[in-house]
Each structure stands twice: as C-alpha cells, then as structure tokens.
Amino acid sequence: MSTAAHTVPGPSAGAAVHSDVVIVGAGIVGLAHAYEAVSRGLSVTVVERDGEPVGASVRNFGHCCITAQHGELLDIAYRSRAGWLRAAESTGMWAREAGAYVVARSVTELTVLEELCAERGDDVVRMRTAGRLRNTLGAPAGHGGIVGGAFLPDDLRVNPRTAVPALAQWLSEQPLARVLWGTSVIGVETGVVHTTRGPVRGDRILVCVGHDLDRLFPEAAEDHGILRCRLTMARVVAPDGFRTDAAVLTGTSMLRYDGFTAQPSAIPLRDETEAHSKELMDIGANVMLTRLPDGSLIVGDSHHYGTTAPPFLDERVSTLLIESIADLLGVERLEVVERWQGVYASSARGPLLVRDLAPGVRALSVTSGVGMTLSFGLAAATFDESLRSTV
Ligand SMILES: Cc1cc2nc3c(=O)[nH]c(=O)nc-3n(C[C@H](O)[C@H](O)[C@H](O)COP(=O)(O)OP(=O)(O)OC[C@H]3O[C@@H](n4cnc5c(N)ncnc54)[C@H](O)[C@@H]3O)c2cc1C
C-alpha cells in the first residue's frame, strides 16, 4: 500500500509559476478543492510538507457517511457524493456505492433507526431484519443480540489508503495542476504562500491543513476552539462469511452523527448506552468497521481530545474496541494486522471552520470527523462562492 510513487520532491517552489489557486495541504480537503478547481479550468498549485499523504485522510475508514448528516451538512454531503463519484471516474480510484448497515442491538437503537426512516423515507433508510443483517455480517444464527437494523444505500465507500494518492497522481498529470511535495508552508499572505523552497504565488489561497491550522494561524484555530481528536484504529483479518463492502455502524455510532442524534429516541439511547456500555462511552467509542478491497477490515474507534496529540496508544482501548467488533461479528477473536492512531481537527463550536484570513486567503478545516464525507461538497461550494466564513 505504498504511495512511494508520489514522493517526488517539489521543484524549487520559487520557479516563477503563478496559479489561479494555491492550496496548502494535500489531504482530501485540499485535493478535492484542487480537483474542483481544475475541473473549472483554473490552474492550481498544491503545497504539501510531507513526501506522501500521511494525514487524517489516509488513516480513516473510507466511509462517506452521507445519510447520517443533518441540516446544512446533509446538503454538502449529497453534493460531495456526486463529486466523489465524478472524481472516481476521472482518476480510476476505488469508490463504491456500497451503502452502510447500522446494526441495532436493543429496541431503543432500533427505534432511532425507525425514526430516521420515518423522517427520510424508506428508500433512503431501509429497515432490515436481524436474520438478514446476521447473514450480511456472516455472524452465526442467533448471535450477538442483533434485533434488526437499517441499510443506508446512499452512503459511499472509498479506499482511504489510495484515494488521496490517486487524486494527487491525477492532478500531477494535468497541465493545469502541480503538486509540490516535501515543501512546508511557513506563512501566507494575500497573493503569496511562503514555503521552505521559496514563495509560491496565486490569486486565491486556500489553507487546508486540518488540525495543523493552529501551527500556521493560531488565533483563527483558537477562535474556533480547534482541538486534536485522537482515534485508536486497527486492521484485522475478516472472519469467514463477512460479505459486504458497505460500512457497518452500531449503536455507539448513532450517538456521534447528527442525523441520528436529532431523533427523539437518541436521548434514551444515550442513557441506555451509558448504563450498559460505560467502558465504551468512557473512551468515546464509535464501534464500526469497513472492508478494504484486499478483504481486510478497518476497525475502530475511540475519541480523545487535546491541543497536542501524545503518540502513545493505550492497549486497553485497542483491546476493548477489537473485542467489541469480535462480539458484533460473532467470532471469538480477530487477528490484528496493523494498528495506528488517527488525528483529526475537532471543535465543540461547530463542524466546519471556514475563515477568511486576508483578502483572497481562506482557511478550511472540517472540525467534526467527517472530512471524507464532506470534502467534494465543500470544494464545490467554495468555488460557487456559496460557503460563508463561519468565524
Ligand atoms: C481514524 C479516523 C477515522 C475517520 N473516519 C472517517 C470516515 O470514515 N468518514 C469521514 O468522512 N471522515 C472520517 N475521518 C475524518 C477525516 O479523515 C478528516 O476529516 C479528513 O481526512 C480531513 O482532511 P484534511 O485534508 O483536512 O486533513 P489531512 O488529511 O490531515 O491533510 C492535511 C494536510 O496538510 C498538510 N500540512 C499541514 N501543515 C502544513 C504546512 N505548514 N505546509 C504544508 N502542508 C501542511 C499535512 O501534512 C496534511 O497532508 C476520520 C478521521 C480519522 C483520523
């Protein structure tokens, strides 16, 4: 899964190239904006400090969680869905209209899903029997206390390991675009991005550095209350019989996405989960999984917040999550292939930071853990000029 093909050192950034748009950060938010800019006939330079993508955009589940968004984010998510599918067609990256399953293991969980179904309609939220869900998960009959669930057909699956590298590769092949790897941005002002390889000039500058906004623009990050959210993740061998590319969410997921939390039964669900799954609540768990194209499963996750992200992974957190997934799938144990920590920008003040920092300079960070879901929708809104500064 190496992305070494992309570790091309940036040319002298000072080369006298002027772009319509300069983007700081080659994560999904930056590259979706670059893709959208090129699609609209604009020239783009992307400046990335690392030699290949290693940020939040390659560490996640690759679940475009469309249906469980709410309000303005729901509109952005549906727009993003169309953008992902278009970009997948252009670049050949792996993306599937695979949907998501939400497994209910209590009547309260099932009620939240029924309420969402009543709100959105049964084309968008398709209720499923326990037997059908067990069959999809490959779980033994009668296992796991599954009482039913729902299938959300509009959700997408993408491969987080290859989506961003594929987009970067595609961009680097376009006459209108260039990606400068290994080039750190040290300052930004109207019309110019200062980098460790010299200035890069452009009419419009978009700063898409996720949680690292506080390294470049600490006041903007502080105004929005940006914290680093750390997540414990693992990749495991899929048990025999597991047979879906759809994301698989659980009751703890229903406490994390506003489409679910806006339902009346989300309040009793929180109380019930606090009472019955206190250990999971204590680590901010969202017990969920996705399958990679090689058949292995990405499983997680936990949520811990702070201004700085300590590097150490608590084995008890990892064990609790993996045991929860094993329990869901009805197997005794799961073979772990990899573990890692993901970090994304988070804020209690709102799911998005969109801030105009100077004329022609805008910062964009998704501060709610759904940047894969929203990226292409945000990019379209940016170039339509329909995204207002939120701070
Ligand atoms: C474990 C985990 C699971 C997740 N699961 C999902 C999911 O299933 N669905 C979903 O929608 N979202 C998910 N998310 C959230 C999603 O991954 C993020 O919201 C999204 O990837 C953020 O994209 P980004 O481009 O802003 O950040 P990043 O991918 O972190 O990219 C920012 C880039 O900016 C670069 N950069 C920073 N500072 C500078 C500088 N000074 N100069 C040059 N370059 C710089 C960094 O090197 C980095 O490459 C998850 C996140 C994690 C961590």
Side-chain angles (χ1 to χ4, degrees), residues 24-25 27-29 47-50 55-57 59-63 183-185 208-210 212 216 231 233 342-344 369-373:
V24 185
I28 193 59
V29 174
V47 187
E48 166 59 47
R49 69 180 171 199
D50 259 304
S57 304
R59 302 183 194 198
N60 61 61
F61 288 100
H63 169 217
T183 305
S184 288
V185 169
C208 304
V209 294
D212 283 336
L216 274 176
L231 298 85
M233 302 290 287
V343 180
Y344 67 65
V370 286
M372 293 295 273
T373 304

PDB file of all heavy atoms in Angstrom, residues 24-25 27-29 47-50 55-57 59-63 183-185 208-210 212 216 231 233 342-344 369-373, ligand 1:
ATOM      1  N   VAL A  24      -2.790  24.867   0.307  1.00  0.00           N
ATOM      2  CA  VAL A  24      -1.839  24.361   1.295  1.00  0.00           C
ATOM      3  C   VAL A  24      -2.438  23.096   1.899  1.00  0.00           C
ATOM      4  O   VAL A  24      -3.508  23.141   2.501  1.00  0.00           O
ATOM      5  CB  VAL A  24      -1.572  25.400   2.408  1.00  0.00           C
ATOM      6  CG1 VAL A  24      -0.475  24.892   3.346  1.00  0.00           C
ATOM      7  CG2 VAL A  24      -1.209  26.756   1.819  1.00  0.00           C
ATOM      8  N   GLY A  25      -1.739  21.954   1.733  1.00  0.00           N
ATOM      9  CA  GLY A  25      -2.200  20.698   2.319  1.00  0.00           C
ATOM     10  C   GLY A  25      -2.772  19.760   1.268  1.00  0.00           C
ATOM     11  O   GLY A  25      -3.728  20.090   0.567  1.00  0.00           O
ATOM     12  N   GLY A  27      -4.260  16.809   1.796  1.00  0.00           N
ATOM     13  CA  GLY A  27      -5.224  15.838   2.331  1.00  0.00           C
ATOM     14  C   GLY A  27      -6.456  15.886   1.433  1.00  0.00           C
ATOM     15  O   GLY A  27      -6.466  16.540   0.380  1.00  0.00           O
ATOM     16  N   ILE A  28      -7.520  15.212   1.853  1.00  0.00           N
ATOM     17  CA  ILE A  28      -8.693  15.137   0.983  1.00  0.00           C
ATOM     18  C   ILE A  28      -9.340  16.500   0.797  1.00  0.00           C
ATOM     19  O   ILE A  28      -9.863  16.807  -0.290  1.00  0.00           O
ATOM     20  CB  ILE A  28      -9.720  14.081   1.491  1.00  0.00           C
ATOM     21  CG1 ILE A  28     -10.753  13.797   0.410  1.00  0.00           C
ATOM     22  CG2 ILE A  28     -10.393  14.499   2.785  1.00  0.00           C
ATOM     23  CD1 ILE A  28     -10.220  13.277  -0.879  1.00  0.00           C
ATOM     24  N   VAL A  29      -9.299  17.356   1.824  1.00  0.00           N
ATOM     25  CA  VAL A  29      -9.953  18.661   1.674  1.00  0.00           C
ATOM     26  C   VAL A  29      -9.194  19.489   0.631  1.00  0.00           C
ATOM     27  O   VAL A  29      -9.790  20.057  -0.300  1.00  0.00           O
ATOM     28  CB  VAL A  29     -10.050  19.394   3.038  1.00  0.00           C
ATOM     29  CG1 VAL A  29     -10.593  20.807   2.851  1.00  0.00           C
ATOM     30  CG2 VAL A  29     -10.962  18.607   3.991  1.00  0.00           C
ATOM     31  N   VAL A  47       0.624  22.658  -2.211  1.00  0.00           N
ATOM     32  CA  VAL A  47       1.888  22.623  -1.477  1.00  0.00           C
ATOM     33  C   VAL A  47       1.711  21.722  -0.263  1.00  0.00           C
ATOM     34  O   VAL A  47       0.837  21.969   0.582  1.00  0.00           O
ATOM     35  CB  VAL A  47       2.306  24.047  -1.016  1.00  0.00           C
ATOM     36  CG1 VAL A  47       3.706  24.019  -0.416  1.00  0.00           C
ATOM     37  CG2 VAL A  47       2.238  25.040  -2.172  1.00  0.00           C
ATOM     38  N   GLU A  48       2.531  20.676  -0.168  1.00  0.00           N
ATOM     39  CA  GLU A  48       2.390  19.681   0.912  1.00  0.00           C
ATOM     40  C   GLU A  48       3.747  19.452   1.566  1.00  0.00           C
ATOM     41  O   GLU A  48       4.733  19.196   0.884  1.00  0.00           O
ATOM     42  CB  GLU A  48       1.829  18.374   0.340  1.00  0.00           C
ATOM     43  CG  GLU A  48       1.933  17.155   1.234  1.00  0.00           C
ATOM     44  CD  GLU A  48       1.225  17.298   2.580  1.00  0.00           C
ATOM     45  OE1 GLU A  48       0.079  17.737   2.618  1.00  0.00           O
ATOM     46  OE2 GLU A  48       1.863  16.950   3.619  1.00  0.00           O
ATOM     47  N   ARG A  49       3.758  19.502   2.883  1.00  0.00           N
ATOM     48  CA  ARG A  49       5.048  19.386   3.587  1.00  0.00           C
ATOM     49  C   ARG A  49       5.616  17.962   3.557  1.00  0.00           C
ATOM     50  O   ARG A  49       6.829  17.772   3.559  1.00  0.00           O
ATOM     51  CB  ARG A  49       4.906  19.857   5.039  1.00  0.00           C
ATOM     52  CG  ARG A  49       4.073  18.931   5.865  1.00  0.00           C
ATOM     53  CD  ARG A  49       3.914  19.378   7.293  1.00  0.00           C
ATOM     54  NE  ARG A  49       2.918  18.527   7.914  1.00  0.00           N
ATOM     55  CZ  ARG A  49       2.262  18.824   9.009  1.00  0.00           C
ATOM     56  NH1 ARG A  49       2.482  19.963   9.622  1.00  0.00           N
ATOM     57  NH2 ARG A  49       1.389  17.993   9.508  1.00  0.00           N
ATOM     58  N   ASP A  50       4.741  16.960   3.544  1.00  0.00           N
ATOM     59  CA  ASP A  50       5.235  15.581   3.597  1.00  0.00           C
ATOM     60  C   ASP A  50       5.575  15.073   2.208  1.00  0.00           C
ATOM     61  O   ASP A  50       5.206  15.678   1.205  1.00  0.00           O
ATOM     62  CB  ASP A  50       4.197  14.677   4.264  1.00  0.00           C
ATOM     63  CG  ASP A  50       4.568  14.389   5.705  1.00  0.00           C
ATOM     64  OD1 ASP A  50       5.687  13.882   5.926  1.00  0.00           O
ATOM     65  OD2 ASP A  50       3.758  14.684   6.596  1.00  0.00           O
ATOM     66  N   GLY A  55      -1.743  12.116   6.503  1.00  0.00           N
ATOM     67  CA  GLY A  55      -2.627  12.770   7.475  1.00  0.00           C
ATOM     68  C   GLY A  55      -3.903  11.982   7.715  1.00  0.00           C
ATOM     69  O   GLY A  55      -3.995  10.776   7.421  1.00  0.00           O
ATOM     70  N   ALA A  56      -4.898  12.696   8.251  1.00  0.00           N
ATOM     71  CA  ALA A  56      -6.182  12.062   8.591  1.00  0.00           C
ATOM     72  C   ALA A  56      -6.781  11.348   7.385  1.00  0.00           C
ATOM     73  O   ALA A  56      -7.448  10.311   7.523  1.00  0.00           O
ATOM     74  CB  ALA A  56      -7.149  13.135   9.094  1.00  0.00           C
ATOM     75  N   SER A  57      -6.514  11.881   6.204  1.00  0.00           N
ATOM     76  CA  SER A  57      -7.193  11.366   5.004  1.00  0.00           C
ATOM     77  C   SER A  57      -6.762   9.967   4.586  1.00  0.00           C
ATOM     78  O   SER A  57      -7.440   9.344   3.765  1.00  0.00           O
ATOM     79  CB  SER A  57      -6.992  12.343   3.844  1.00  0.00           C
ATOM     80  OG  SER A  57      -7.448  13.622   4.208  1.00  0.00           O
ATOM     81  N   ARG A  59      -5.851   7.752   7.144  1.00  0.00           N
ATOM     82  CA  ARG A  59      -5.931   6.955   8.380  1.00  0.00           C
ATOM     83  C   ARG A  59      -7.367   6.576   8.735  1.00  0.00           C
ATOM     84  O   ARG A  59      -7.611   6.005   9.797  1.00  0.00           O
ATOM     85  CB  ARG A  59      -5.348   7.753   9.540  1.00  0.00           C
ATOM     86  CG  ARG A  59      -3.908   8.160   9.307  1.00  0.00           C
ATOM     87  CD  ARG A  59      -3.340   8.877  10.507  1.00  0.00           C
ATOM     88  NE  ARG A  59      -2.104   9.544  10.187  1.00  0.00           N
ATOM     89  CZ  ARG A  59      -1.220   9.947  11.074  1.00  0.00           C
ATOM     90  NH1 ARG A  59      -1.454   9.741  12.362  1.00  0.00           N
ATOM     91  NH2 ARG A  59      -0.125  10.557  10.699  1.00  0.00           N
ATOM     92  N   ASN A  60      -8.318   6.955   7.882  1.00  0.00           N
ATOM     93  CA  ASN A  60      -9.728   6.818   8.286  1.00  0.00           C
ATOM     94  C   ASN A  60     -10.370   5.542   7.739  1.00  0.00           C
ATOM     95  O   ASN A  60      -9.708   4.689   7.172  1.00  0.00           O
ATOM     96  CB  ASN A  60     -10.489   8.075   7.851  1.00  0.00           C
ATOM     97  CG  ASN A  60     -10.443   8.267   6.356  1.00  0.00           C
ATOM     98  OD1 ASN A  60     -10.920   7.429   5.602  1.00  0.00           O
ATOM     99  ND2 ASN A  60      -9.830   9.359   5.903  1.00  0.00           N
ATOM    100  N   PHE A  61     -11.698   5.465   7.909  1.00  0.00           N
ATOM    101  CA  PHE A  61     -12.450   4.266   7.497  1.00  0.00           C
ATOM    102  C   PHE A  61     -12.802   4.254   6.007  1.00  0.00           C
ATOM    103  O   PHE A  61     -13.254   3.232   5.491  1.00  0.00           O
ATOM    104  CB  PHE A  61     -13.778   4.192   8.260  1.00  0.00           C
ATOM    105  CG  PHE A  61     -13.655   3.838   9.713  1.00  0.00           C
ATOM    106  CD1 PHE A  61     -13.713   4.819  10.692  1.00  0.00           C
ATOM    107  CD2 PHE A  61     -13.499   2.520  10.103  1.00  0.00           C
ATOM    108  CE1 PHE A  61     -13.622   4.494  12.031  1.00  0.00           C
ATOM    109  CE2 PHE A  61     -13.404   2.179  11.448  1.00  0.00           C
ATOM    110  CZ  PHE A  61     -13.462   3.175  12.405  1.00  0.00           C
ATOM    111  N   GLY A  62     -12.735   5.420   5.373  1.00  0.00           N
ATOM    112  CA  GLY A  62     -13.186   5.468   3.983  1.00  0.00           C
ATOM    113  C   GLY A  62     -14.697   5.307   3.868  1.00  0.00           C
ATOM    114  O   GLY A  62     -15.206   4.738   2.911  1.00  0.00           O
ATOM    115  N   HIS A  63     -15.386   5.834   4.860  1.00  0.00           N
ATOM    116  CA  HIS A  63     -16.854   5.764   4.841  1.00  0.00           C
ATOM    117  C   HIS A  63     -17.390   7.170   4.585  1.00  0.00           C
ATOM    118  O   HIS A  63     -17.215   8.060   5.432  1.00  0.00           O
ATOM    119  CB  HIS A  63     -17.362   5.237   6.198  1.00  0.00           C
ATOM    120  CG  HIS A  63     -18.847   5.373   6.360  1.00  0.00           C
ATOM    121  ND1 HIS A  63     -19.417   5.703   7.562  1.00  0.00           N
ATOM    122  CD2 HIS A  63     -19.869   5.221   5.486  1.00  0.00           C
ATOM    123  CE1 HIS A  63     -20.735   5.756   7.419  1.00  0.00           C
ATOM    124  NE2 HIS A  63     -21.030   5.466   6.176  1.00  0.00           N
ATOM    125  N   THR A 183       7.407  20.232   0.853  1.00  0.00           N
ATOM    126  CA  THR A 183       7.533  21.698   0.844  1.00  0.00           C
ATOM    127  C   THR A 183       6.628  22.259   1.947  1.00  0.00           C
ATOM    128  O   THR A 183       5.402  22.237   1.815  1.00  0.00           O
ATOM    129  CB  THR A 183       7.105  22.250  -0.541  1.00  0.00           C
ATOM    130  OG1 THR A 183       7.879  21.589  -1.561  1.00  0.00           O
ATOM    131  CG2 THR A 183       7.327  23.743  -0.635  1.00  0.00           C
ATOM    132  N   SER A 184       7.231  22.721   3.035  1.00  0.00           N
ATOM    133  CA  SER A 184       6.427  23.209   4.162  1.00  0.00           C
ATOM    134  C   SER A 184       6.064  24.668   3.968  1.00  0.00           C
ATOM    135  O   SER A 184       6.911  25.482   3.583  1.00  0.00           O
ATOM    136  CB  SER A 184       7.221  23.100   5.473  1.00  0.00           C
ATOM    137  OG  SER A 184       7.328  21.766   5.846  1.00  0.00           O
ATOM    138  N   VAL A 185       4.839  24.981   4.278  1.00  0.00           N
ATOM    139  CA  VAL A 185       4.405  26.375   4.242  1.00  0.00           C
ATOM    140  C   VAL A 185       4.698  27.000   5.596  1.00  0.00           C
ATOM    141  O   VAL A 185       4.383  26.431   6.649  1.00  0.00           O
ATOM    142  CB  VAL A 185       2.898  26.454   3.884  1.00  0.00           C
ATOM    143  CG1 VAL A 185       2.364  27.854   4.091  1.00  0.00           C
ATOM    144  CG2 VAL A 185       2.709  25.995   2.445  1.00  0.00           C
ATOM    145  N   CYS A 208      -5.709  24.357   3.726  1.00  0.00           N
ATOM    146  CA  CYS A 208      -6.480  23.137   4.045  1.00  0.00           C
ATOM    147  C   CYS A 208      -5.584  22.184   4.830  1.00  0.00           C
ATOM    148  O   CYS A 208      -5.249  21.098   4.340  1.00  0.00           O
ATOM    149  CB  CYS A 208      -6.970  22.487   2.758  1.00  0.00           C
ATOM    150  SG  CYS A 208      -7.953  23.567   1.701  1.00  0.00           S
ATOM    151  N   VAL A 209      -5.188  22.594   6.021  1.00  0.00           N
ATOM    152  CA  VAL A 209      -4.195  21.829   6.781  1.00  0.00           C
ATOM    153  C   VAL A 209      -4.816  21.102   7.972  1.00  0.00           C
ATOM    154  O   VAL A 209      -4.098  20.641   8.861  1.00  0.00           O
ATOM    155  CB  VAL A 209      -3.028  22.737   7.244  1.00  0.00           C
ATOM    156  CG1 VAL A 209      -2.241  23.246   6.041  1.00  0.00           C
ATOM    157  CG2 VAL A 209      -3.526  23.909   8.091  1.00  0.00           C
ATOM    158  N   GLY A 210      -6.151  20.973   7.994  1.00  0.00           N
ATOM    159  CA  GLY A 210      -6.814  20.220   9.067  1.00  0.00           C
ATOM    160  C   GLY A 210      -6.488  20.796  10.439  1.00  0.00           C
ATOM    161  O   GLY A 210      -6.548  22.018  10.647  1.00  0.00           O
ATOM    162  N   ASP A 212      -3.715  21.139  11.853  1.00  0.00           N
ATOM    163  CA  ASP A 212      -2.481  21.925  11.943  1.00  0.00           C
ATOM    164  C   ASP A 212      -2.689  23.402  11.624  1.00  0.00           C
ATOM    165  O   ASP A 212      -1.723  24.161  11.552  1.00  0.00           O
ATOM    166  CB  ASP A 212      -1.399  21.317  11.041  1.00  0.00           C
ATOM    167  CG  ASP A 212      -0.792  20.076  11.676  1.00  0.00           C
ATOM    168  OD1 ASP A 212      -0.847  19.967  12.917  1.00  0.00           O
ATOM    169  OD2 ASP A 212      -0.301  19.206  10.946  1.00  0.00           O
ATOM    170  N   LEU A 216      -0.122  27.344  11.874  1.00  0.00           N
ATOM    171  CA  LEU A 216       0.051  28.454  10.924  1.00  0.00           C
ATOM    172  C   LEU A 216      -0.713  29.704  11.354  1.00  0.00           C
ATOM    173  O   LEU A 216      -0.226  30.817  11.213  1.00  0.00           O
ATOM    174  CB  LEU A 216      -0.464  28.028   9.536  1.00  0.00           C
ATOM    175  CG  LEU A 216       0.504  27.290   8.627  1.00  0.00           C
ATOM    176  CD1 LEU A 216      -0.217  26.859   7.349  1.00  0.00           C
ATOM    177  CD2 LEU A 216       1.705  28.166   8.273  1.00  0.00           C
ATOM    178  N   LEU A 231      -7.737   8.996  17.561  1.00  0.00           N
ATOM    179  CA  LEU A 231      -8.571   7.797  17.416  1.00  0.00           C
ATOM    180  C   LEU A 231      -7.689   6.558  17.342  1.00  0.00           C
ATOM    181  O   LEU A 231      -6.662   6.565  16.654  1.00  0.00           O
ATOM    182  CB  LEU A 231      -9.408   7.870  16.132  1.00  0.00           C
ATOM    183  CG  LEU A 231     -10.424   9.020  16.023  1.00  0.00           C
ATOM    184  CD1 LEU A 231      -9.771  10.291  15.489  1.00  0.00           C
ATOM    185  CD2 LEU A 231     -11.581   8.628  15.136  1.00  0.00           C
ATOM    186  N   MET A 233      -7.119   2.886  16.031  1.00  0.00           N
ATOM    187  CA  MET A 233      -7.595   2.136  14.868  1.00  0.00           C
ATOM    188  C   MET A 233      -6.808   0.844  14.715  1.00  0.00           C
ATOM    189  O   MET A 233      -5.681   0.727  15.209  1.00  0.00           O
ATOM    190  CB  MET A 233      -7.384   2.975  13.594  1.00  0.00           C
ATOM    191  CG  MET A 233      -8.059   4.326  13.606  1.00  0.00           C
ATOM    192  SD  MET A 233      -9.844   4.222  13.498  1.00  0.00           S
ATOM    193  CE  MET A 233     -10.055   3.751  11.778  1.00  0.00           C
ATOM    194  N   GLY A 342      -5.138   7.740  14.495  1.00  0.00           N
ATOM    195  CA  GLY A 342      -5.573   8.802  13.585  1.00  0.00           C
ATOM    196  C   GLY A 342      -5.760  10.078  14.378  1.00  0.00           C
ATOM    197  O   GLY A 342      -6.066  10.030  15.572  1.00  0.00           O
ATOM    198  N   VAL A 343      -5.564  11.210  13.729  1.00  0.00           N
ATOM    199  CA  VAL A 343      -5.779  12.513  14.381  1.00  0.00           C
ATOM    200  C   VAL A 343      -6.563  13.391  13.414  1.00  0.00           C
ATOM    201  O   VAL A 343      -6.212  13.470  12.236  1.00  0.00           O
ATOM    202  CB  VAL A 343      -4.435  13.209  14.723  1.00  0.00           C
ATOM    203  CG1 VAL A 343      -4.693  14.566  15.403  1.00  0.00           C
ATOM    204  CG2 VAL A 343      -3.575  12.334  15.620  1.00  0.00           C
ATOM    205  N   TYR A 344      -7.622  13.994  13.924  1.00  0.00           N
ATOM    206  CA  TYR A 344      -8.331  14.980  13.090  1.00  0.00           C
ATOM    207  C   TYR A 344      -8.694  16.209  13.913  1.00  0.00           C
ATOM    208  O   TYR A 344      -8.651  16.192  15.131  1.00  0.00           O
ATOM    209  CB  TYR A 344      -9.550  14.377  12.385  1.00  0.00           C
ATOM    210  CG  TYR A 344     -10.724  13.936  13.252  1.00  0.00           C
ATOM    211  CD1 TYR A 344     -11.483  14.839  13.985  1.00  0.00           C
ATOM    212  CD2 TYR A 344     -11.114  12.597  13.279  1.00  0.00           C
ATOM    213  CE1 TYR A 344     -12.573  14.425  14.737  1.00  0.00           C
ATOM    214  CE2 TYR A 344     -12.216  12.176  14.025  1.00  0.00           C
ATOM    215  CZ  TYR A 344     -12.935  13.102  14.746  1.00  0.00           C
ATOM    216  OH  TYR A 344     -14.009  12.689  15.485  1.00  0.00           O
ATOM    217  N   GLY A 369     -14.826  15.385  12.172  1.00  0.00           N
ATOM    218  CA  GLY A 369     -14.553  13.977  11.882  1.00  0.00           C
ATOM    219  C   GLY A 369     -15.283  13.422  10.680  1.00  0.00           C
ATOM    220  O   GLY A 369     -15.391  12.205  10.534  1.00  0.00           O
ATOM    221  N   VAL A 370     -15.779  14.306   9.800  1.00  0.00           N
ATOM    222  CA  VAL A 370     -16.439  13.792   8.587  1.00  0.00           C
ATOM    223  C   VAL A 370     -15.885  14.460   7.322  1.00  0.00           C
ATOM    224  O   VAL A 370     -16.605  14.711   6.364  1.00  0.00           O
ATOM    225  CB  VAL A 370     -17.985  13.938   8.658  1.00  0.00           C
ATOM    226  CG1 VAL A 370     -18.565  12.914   9.621  1.00  0.00           C
ATOM    227  CG2 VAL A 370     -18.406  15.347   9.019  1.00  0.00           C
ATOM    228  N   GLY A 371     -14.592  14.694   7.341  1.00  0.00           N
ATOM    229  CA  GLY A 371     -13.960  15.382   6.212  1.00  0.00           C
ATOM    230  C   GLY A 371     -13.975  14.573   4.929  1.00  0.00           C
ATOM    231  O   GLY A 371     -14.037  15.144   3.834  1.00  0.00           O
ATOM    232  N   MET A 372     -13.910  13.240   5.020  1.00  0.00           N
ATOM    233  CA  MET A 372     -14.004  12.422   3.804  1.00  0.00           C
ATOM    234  C   MET A 372     -15.395  12.607   3.197  1.00  0.00           C
ATOM    235  O   MET A 372     -15.557  12.766   1.998  1.00  0.00           O
ATOM    236  CB  MET A 372     -13.762  10.947   4.117  1.00  0.00           C
ATOM    237  CG  MET A 372     -12.359  10.619   4.553  1.00  0.00           C
ATOM    238  SD  MET A 372     -11.110  10.896   3.273  1.00  0.00           S
ATOM    239  CE  MET A 372     -11.132   9.336   2.391  1.00  0.00           C
ATOM    240  N   THR A 373     -16.387  12.582   4.057  1.00  0.00           N
ATOM    241  CA  THR A 373     -17.776  12.704   3.613  1.00  0.00           C
ATOM    242  C   THR A 373     -18.027  14.038   2.912  1.00  0.00           C
ATOM    243  O   THR A 373     -18.698  14.096   1.887  1.00  0.00           O
ATOM    244  CB  THR A 373     -18.713  12.594   4.840  1.00  0.00           C
ATOM    245  OG1 THR A 373     -18.426  11.364   5.514  1.00  0.00           O
ATOM    246  CG2 THR A 373     -20.170  12.655   4.451  1.00  0.00           C
TER     247      THR A 373
HETATM  248  C1  LIG B   1      -9.133   7.437  12.383  1.00  0.00           C
HETATM  249  C2  LIG B   1     -10.032   8.356  11.606  1.00  0.00           C
HETATM  250  C3  LIG B   1     -11.213   7.859  11.066  1.00  0.00           C
HETATM  251  C4  LIG B   1     -12.035   8.717  10.315  1.00  0.00           C
HETATM  252  N1  LIG B   1     -13.100   8.193   9.634  1.00  0.00           N
HETATM  253  C5  LIG B   1     -13.769   8.966   8.747  1.00  0.00           C
HETATM  254  C6  LIG B   1     -14.756   8.418   7.899  1.00  0.00           C
HETATM  255  O1  LIG B   1     -14.967   7.211   7.813  1.00  0.00           O
HETATM  256  N2  LIG B   1     -15.501   9.277   7.143  1.00  0.00           N
HETATM  257  C7  LIG B   1     -15.265  10.622   7.136  1.00  0.00           C
HETATM  258  O2  LIG B   1     -15.977  11.361   6.461  1.00  0.00           O
HETATM  259  N3  LIG B   1     -14.257  11.163   7.849  1.00  0.00           N
HETATM  260  C8  LIG B   1     -13.508  10.368   8.651  1.00  0.00           C
HETATM  261  N4  LIG B   1     -12.496  10.905   9.397  1.00  0.00           N
HETATM  262  C9  LIG B   1     -12.213  12.340   9.290  1.00  0.00           C
HETATM  263  C10 LIG B   1     -11.447  12.645   8.019  1.00  0.00           C
HETATM  264  O3  LIG B   1     -10.422  11.694   7.827  1.00  0.00           O
HETATM  265  C11 LIG B   1     -10.863  14.059   8.128  1.00  0.00           C
HETATM  266  O4  LIG B   1     -11.904  14.978   8.459  1.00  0.00           O
HETATM  267  C12 LIG B   1     -10.240  14.477   6.807  1.00  0.00           C
HETATM  268  O5  LIG B   1      -9.339  13.485   6.351  1.00  0.00           O
HETATM  269  C13 LIG B   1      -9.506  15.803   6.981  1.00  0.00           C
HETATM  270  O6  LIG B   1      -8.887  16.087   5.754  1.00  0.00           O
HETATM  271  P1  LIG B   1      -7.816  17.248   5.652  1.00  0.00           P
HETATM  272  O7  LIG B   1      -7.406  17.309   4.227  1.00  0.00           O
HETATM  273  O8  LIG B   1      -8.373  18.478   6.285  1.00  0.00           O
HETATM  274  O9  LIG B   1      -6.638  16.784   6.627  1.00  0.00           O
HETATM  275  P2  LIG B   1      -5.349  15.890   6.384  1.00  0.00           P
HETATM  276  O10 LIG B   1      -5.653  14.664   5.636  1.00  0.00           O
HETATM  277  O11 LIG B   1      -4.732  15.712   7.732  1.00  0.00           O
HETATM  278  O12 LIG B   1      -4.448  16.760   5.441  1.00  0.00           O
HETATM  279  C14 LIG B   1      -3.856  17.981   5.843  1.00  0.00           C
HETATM  280  C15 LIG B   1      -2.545  18.074   5.111  1.00  0.00           C
HETATM  281  O13 LIG B   1      -1.951  19.349   5.358  1.00  0.00           O
HETATM  282  C16 LIG B   1      -0.558  19.167   5.420  1.00  0.00           C
HETATM  283  N5  LIG B   1       0.039  20.315   6.112  1.00  0.00           N
HETATM  284  C17 LIG B   1      -0.174  20.712   7.395  1.00  0.00           C
HETATM  285  N6  LIG B   1       0.555  21.795   7.673  1.00  0.00           N
HETATM  286  C18 LIG B   1       1.234  22.115   6.546  1.00  0.00           C
HETATM  287  C19 LIG B   1       2.175  23.133   6.219  1.00  0.00           C
HETATM  288  N7  LIG B   1       2.534  24.067   7.104  1.00  0.00           N
HETATM  289  N8  LIG B   1       2.719  23.152   4.976  1.00  0.00           N
HETATM  290  C20 LIG B   1       2.352  22.217   4.046  1.00  0.00           C
HETATM  291  N9  LIG B   1       1.477  21.217   4.316  1.00  0.00           N
HETATM  292  C21 LIG B   1       0.920  21.178   5.545  1.00  0.00           C
HETATM  293  C22 LIG B   1      -0.395  17.872   6.188  1.00  0.00           C
HETATM  294  O14 LIG B   1       0.871  17.300   6.005  1.00  0.00           O
HETATM  295  C23 LIG B   1      -1.528  17.040   5.597  1.00  0.00           C
HETATM  296  O15 LIG B   1      -1.099  16.258   4.497  1.00  0.00           O
HETATM  297  C24 LIG B   1     -11.683  10.088  10.165  1.00  0.00           C
HETATM  298  C25 LIG B   1     -10.503  10.568  10.716  1.00  0.00           C
HETATM  299  C26 LIG B   1      -9.667   9.707  11.412  1.00  0.00           C
HETATM  300  C27 LIG B   1      -8.387  10.265  11.966  1.00  0.00           C
END
